[in-house]
Amino acid sequence: MATAELASERESDYLSQLTMAAARYANRAEQRERNQSVLETRGVLYADTPERVEKRLARLGADWAMARAIERTPTEPASGAGSTLGLPPEGFTSEALGLERLIGRNNLTPVAFLEEGVQVSRSVGRITISGPGGGHGTGFMVSPSLLLTNNHVLGDTQEAGRSKVAFAFQDGADGNPLVPAVFQLEPLRCFVTDRALDYTLVAVAPRGAQGEALSSFGRLILSEAQGKAVIGEFVNIIQHPRGEPKQIALRENQIVDVLERFLHYESDTREGSSGSPVFNDQWEVVALHHSAVPKTDAEGRPLSVDGTVWRPEMGEQQLAWRANEGVRVSRVLRSLHEAPLTGEAAQLRDEVFTTGLAPSPEKNTPPMPSFTGRPTLASTNGSQAGAQSHAADGSAQLVLPLRITLDFDTSSLPSATLSAPLPALAPTPQPPSAGRPDIVTAVGKDVDAALVNHRFARERPYYDRSADAAARAAYYANVRTDDGDALRRALTTLLAETHAPKPRYKPMRLVYPWVDLHKDGRLRSIYSGQEFSAEELIRADAAVEEARLAREQELLLRERTAGPAEFEAEFRALEASLPFNCEHVVPQSWFHEKEPMRGDLHHLFTCESGCNSYRNNFPYFDFPDYEETVRDACGKRESVGFEPEKCRGVVARATLYFLLRYPGQIGDVAQEFPEDRLPVLLRWHEGEAVTEYELHRNAAIAELQGNRNPLIDHPEWARAIDFSGVWP
């Protein structure tokens, strides 16, 4: 293709991106005006959807009450004594300061915010495309080997093959330019692109033109979890506008709208900024900047600064801008999950979904961070949380929210300390200042393993019906069904004998990556049907596990001075106080949190903490007037019991399994599941047929712990089994 044709094609692609961005922006005018009106009259807490705001607060380690108290103006009455903002003076901790900043009540921020901004900027580089149709763009490292930018910057492997990325192309503190490190792109190792989402992921050579190590420039860890930013919040963009030295648009860039795949924000970016990372105030990447939104005429054509219709030959500098658009990073990650890669390319792509420490930098190279996790508003030493970096001696540091040095093994971790996920509505538990570095490392390894397992799991067939039919026939080959009591005894024996191994309770590693997935690769709450990504709950689970392990360490140390009864009471209180996103359909308190019941996958399901808390440990109950009464999104609860909004048949079959597998374990006290509730389970079981989701779960669990759920495999056995022997 001739040079002129290549240039024309690039101009056409760019104009197409501008036109589509402008159309999306125009179509949302009414919604954007509503958002702006709410921001002006009520504030950030109300402009976005309640669900997104709640997740944002949870991710920041705050609850609604604190946020609402800070959001009040001084003229509003406060509930109770204290400051004019509704919080007692002692409530204005560093967290309150961070919330004030989010809500727009205070622009103060720790100096560490700037220091961390400088560090994350090292992972951002200027892309130069040589030859026909060449130009500049911005990109940033998202794994030890892969760079993320726009499709309209690097559209194919040929273009990427003649391109380079330069890091440290910027001025130093003394005003003099630094010497950039230039690396060749290597699309033959890995290249993924999507024109609709306008992203390209490409491999970078491990060594620069002068022998520099790519690892010394770190990476930015991407998260699929929700709660990273909401409408009205300000974002930061590190960029190479028009190929110039690195610059930043800092905190005057307000999110004005959130679309399914895109964010709209007001920002100072220019051409060449395409492919820049868009950060929240915790330096998490929330979007991939990809297009400015131009001013347009009545026909949707971009306008120039003088009001005439813009033409490509006028140059990008003559466009009149209205706003900017970025691709939501969660949507980029979802697309990457589905990219059909093999061999080295697949292995490199999988590294995007891991959160390990960045490799050690070269000698005399400033330490580089990998930013990840679930950051709180401020750390105990004044820096923003969530940053990992390497010290000069080669050890590693993590701020979450305290700074600790990692140099240890994990063999001393107590085996009984396992995890529970973070809720959408509850505050993030903070690890105590005496936290253990081995805890952080152990949890980090679990996160990495879970994310890789999830990536591999999604490449598997969701459910192989013929293979499972054969496995089912073999499993029950020696079970006779002509006598109800004998059938129950035979199944109990079979379930116990084949239950090997017996996994301990760790939904982050077992439930979320594969077992509880629906066919679309998403997780859904067993009670409300609310959707989640696997990564969202894996990371939430990890944050709470760190807090729990640290607290359990404290309790173990105190056991020497406290008696066994006191220690047991405190341990139970700790368990009860932690938020969960994983539901035991047979509540843990009924079997005293003992294994293997606690970790038995057949009765573990995804469930947001709000519904988990709402159900509490109430037994299932069938309300005659359920359809006619007002009820919670999770279901209906009264003193007699709880009826879920969704999946009654699913929870019934899981509970019936538990009764068969662990006879005599529940039902011996009034608040547990009594024998007279058996008809409730049987009605729900018969009222809702077994779904492919349950078949998938049953087969996946059989692979992990050996046994199966007979009520899923043979629904007709429910009335044949004599369950009378399962109660104490």
Side-chain angles (χ1 to χ4, degrees):
M1 186 178 291
T3 301
E5 292 175 313
L6 284 169
S8 177
E9 182 178 350
R10 179 176 289 279
E11 289 172 353
S12 176
D13 283 348
Y14 181 69
L15 183 58
S16 175
Q17 290 288 349
L18 290 176
T19 303
M20 289 188 292
R24 284 189 288 266
Y25 191 81
N27 291 339
R28 299 280 294 184
E30 183 176 344
Q31 179 64 40
R32 197 167 53 253
E33 290 174 3
R34 188 203 73 84
N35 295 343
Q36 189 59 43
S37 175
V38 174
L39 284 172
E40 292 173 357
T41 58
R42 303 193 68 194
V44 173
L45 296 182
Y46 304 95
D48 216 322
T49 65
E51 178 185 351
R52 285 177 51 80
V53 173
E54 288 162 356
K55 289 188 176 182
R56 181 62 178 142
L57 292 175
R59 193 167 184 84
L60 291 172
D63 60 17
W64 178 267
M66 173 180 276
R68 181 66 186 92
I70 294 173
E71 190 269 347
R72 291 192 188 99
T73 63
T75 58
E76 286 189 75
S79 56
S83 75
T84 56
L85 291 178
L87 278 179
E90 62 271 16
F92 283 92
T93 61
S94 57
E95 289 188 0
L97 173 63
L99 273 174
E100 284 186 302
R101 187 165 181 246
L102 167 67
I103 295 166
R105 298 294 186 195
N106 194 326
N107 282 325
L108 293 175
T109 189
V111 171
F113 170 77
L114 298 177
E115 295 174 345
E116 289 164 7
V118 170
Q119 290 187 341
V120 299
S121 74
R122 285 179 55 82
S123 299
V124 181
R126 183 187 71 167
I127 297 172
T128 300
I129 304 100
S130 303
H136 295 292
T138 303
F140 54 101
M141 297 301 298
V142 295
S143 85
S145 303
L146 299 179
L147 180 92
L148 184 66
T149 186
N150 292 137
N151 167 271
H152 77 262
V153 173
L154 297 175
D156 54 43
T157 55
Q158 290 76 20
E159 198 166 48
R162 47 189 171 84
S163 300
K164 299 177 181 179
V165 59
F167 297 104
F169 180 59
Q170 63 193 74
D171 292 336
D174 59 2
N176 295 318
L178 302 179
V179 178
V182 181
F183 296 80
Q184 184 71 45
L185 302 187
E186 297 183 339
L188 296 183
R189 292 174 59 210
C190 183
F191 186 87
V192 184
T193 194
D194 186 305
R195 189 167 184 176
L197 286 177
D198 196 21
Y199 78 81
T200 289
L201 188 73
V202 61
V204 182
R207 290 282 172 180
Q210 303 300 318
E212 305 94 336
L214 180 63
S215 60
S216 67
F217 294 94
R219 59 180 288 198
L220 304 178
I221 291 177
L222 306 185
S223 172
E224 196 175 354
Q226 298 183 41
K228 296 188 291 295
V230 293
I231 293 171
E233 196 166 352
F234 292 89
V235 292
N236 314 291
I237 305 173
I238 299 176
Q239 56 194 291
H240 284 279
R242 293 194 299 186
E244 297 171 1
K246 193 180 301 174
Q247 300 173 33
I248 182 170
L250 186 65
R251 283 212 96 242
E252 287 300 328
N253 322 299
Q254 190 174 39
I255 297 175
V256 295
D257 199 9
V258 177
L259 288 69
E260 168 58 28
R261 298 193 296 177
F262 302 96
L263 295 179
H264 287 154
Y265 42 90
E266 298 172 349
S267 178
D268 296 323
T269 56
R270 304 179 69 177
E271 63 275 15
S273 300
S274 295
S276 303
V278 181
F279 298 94
N280 61 17
D281 276 351
Q282 290 69 50
W283 295 109
E284 293 178 295
V285 181
V286 299
L288 170 67
H289 177 72
H290 87 123
S291 178
V293 177
K295 294 181 179 179
T296 56
D297 62 10
E299 298 179 27
R301 295 175 298 183
L303 295 176
S304 66
V305 291
D306 62 6
T308 62
V309 175
W310 179 82
R311 301 180 306 279
E313 59 268 21
M314 298 169 67
E316 297 174 21
Q317 69 277 6
Q318 292 300 311
L319 275 164
W321 303 116
R322 186 185 304 275
N324 278 287
E325 183 178 80
V327 186
R328 295 173 62 179
V329 73
S330 59
R331 302 315 186 251
V332 173
L333 290 173
R334 188 181 299 179
S335 173
L336 282 176
H337 273 303
E338 300 168 355
L341 301 177
T342 59
E344 182 186 15
Q347 294 174 359
L348 292 177
R349 183 265 314 276
D350 291 340
E351 292 179 356
V352 174
F353 299 95
T354 64
T355 59
L357 292 172
S360 299
E362 293 290 284
K363 185 177 181 181
N364 299 324
T365 301
M368 272 307 305
S370 293
F371 281 76
T372 182
R374 193 181 168 87
T376 55
L377 291 169
S379 69
T380 54
N381 67 355
S383 65
Q384 296 288 337
Q388 293 174 332
S389 62
H390 284 268
D393 61 0
S395 62
Q397 292 182 321
L398 176 83
V399 183
L400 190 78
L402 62 159
R403 192 173 297 276
I404 47 185
T405 300
L406 312 182
D407 185 12
F408 51 86
D409 63 55
T410 60
S411 59
S412 62
L413 275 178
S415 60
T417 52
L418 297 174
S419 65
L422 190 75
L425 303 178
T428 307
Q430 299 300 312
S433 58
R436 290 278 303 278
D438 48 354
I439 289 173
V440 176
T441 296
V443 174
K445 289 179 179 179
D446 280 342
V447 171
D448 286 350
L451 293 175
V452 171
N453 287 344
H454 176 56
R455 177 71 200 95
F456 289 153
R458 292 194 62 181
E459 295 176 352
R460 298 181 56 183
Y462 182 71
Y463 177 63
D464 188 331
R465 190 172 297 272
S466 59
D468 192 44
R472 180 170 60 245
Y475 188 77
Y476 301 105
N478 297 319
V479 174
R480 299 180 58 184
T481 62
D482 52 356
D483 177 82
D485 182 66
L487 175 59
R488 191 264 303 169
R489 293 178 183 275
L491 290 175
T492 294
T493 300
L494 178 64
L495 295 179
E497 289 179 347
T498 57
H499 190 175
K502 297 180 176 65
R504 302 183 73 83
Y505 176 65
K506 188 168 288 193
M508 173 173 58
R509 289 290 297 269
L510 301 176
V511 178
Y512 307 143
W514 175 237
V515 165
D516 209 36
L517 290 183
H518 286 256
K519 196 168 186 177
D520 61 0
R522 305 281 287 172
L523 297 169
R524 290 182 177 82
S525 167
I526 191 65
Y527 294 147
S528 71
Q530 182 179 342
E531 287 193 19
F532 303 90
S533 70
E535 183 191 357
E536 180 178 2
L537 295 193
I538 288 168
R539 295 193 187 283
D541 198 345
V544 175
E545 183 169 359
E546 288 177 7
R548 173 154 67 175
L549 289 173
R551 288 289 305 280
E552 288 181 357
Q553 293 278 5
E554 287 185 342
L555 292 180
L556 290 171
L557 292 174
R558 289 183 55 194
E559 186 182 12
R560 298 174 184 174
T561 57
E566 180 184 348
F567 174 78
E568 181 73 10
E570 291 199 26
F571 188 87
R572 299 289 182 218
L574 170 63
E575 288 288 312
S577 69
L578 290 172
F580 292 86
N581 282 317
C582 185
E583 167 74 340
H584 292 79
V585 299
V586 177
Q588 297 185 71
S589 61
W590 294 3
F591 52 83
H592 308 292
E593 294 87 21
K594 293 181 179 178
E595 299 287 1
M597 291 84 83
R598 187 169 187 249
D600 192 321
L601 296 167
H602 281 295
H603 79 129
L604 300 184
F605 293 87
T606 299
C607 179
E608 73 276 32
S609 62
C611 283
N612 198 322
S613 299
Y614 182 77
R615 187 258 170 121
N616 201 342
N617 61 356
F618 283 81
Y620 293 124
F621 186 80
D622 201 340
F623 291 97
D625 61 345
Y626 184 84
E627 297 300 331
E628 289 76 36
T629 59
V630 177
R631 54 191 183 272
D632 188 91
C634 312
K636 181 178 179 179
R637 186 192 73 183
E638 292 184 0
S639 59
V640 292
F642 167 75
E643 181 173 353
E645 177 70 13
K646 305 282 187 181
C647 300
R648 297 174 185 86
V650 177
V651 300
R653 284 182 278 274
T655 307
L656 291 170
Y657 158 84
F658 191 96
L659 294 173
L660 289 173
R661 171 65 182 87
Y662 306 104
Q665 291 291 332
I666 62 172
D668 55 340
V669 294
Q671 63 265 37
E672 296 180 1
F673 202 89
E675 187 173 358
D676 61 11
R677 298 287 175 91
L678 179 63
V680 172
L681 299 182
L682 295 178
R683 282 198 303 273
W684 289 357
H685 164 67
E686 293 169 346
E688 295 182 6
V690 173
T691 63
E692 186 180 25
Y693 158 70
E694 289 179 88
L695 294 171
H696 153 77
R697 271 184 56 95
N698 200 27
I701 293 170
E703 290 182 354
L704 291 169
Q705 67 178 47
N707 62 1
R708 304 176 65 93
N709 185 338
L711 286 308
I712 293 175
D713 290 328
H714 290 282
E716 72 279 6
W717 286 357
R719 292 290 179 178
I721 298 170
D722 180 1
F723 282 96
S724 62
V726 302
W727 275 275

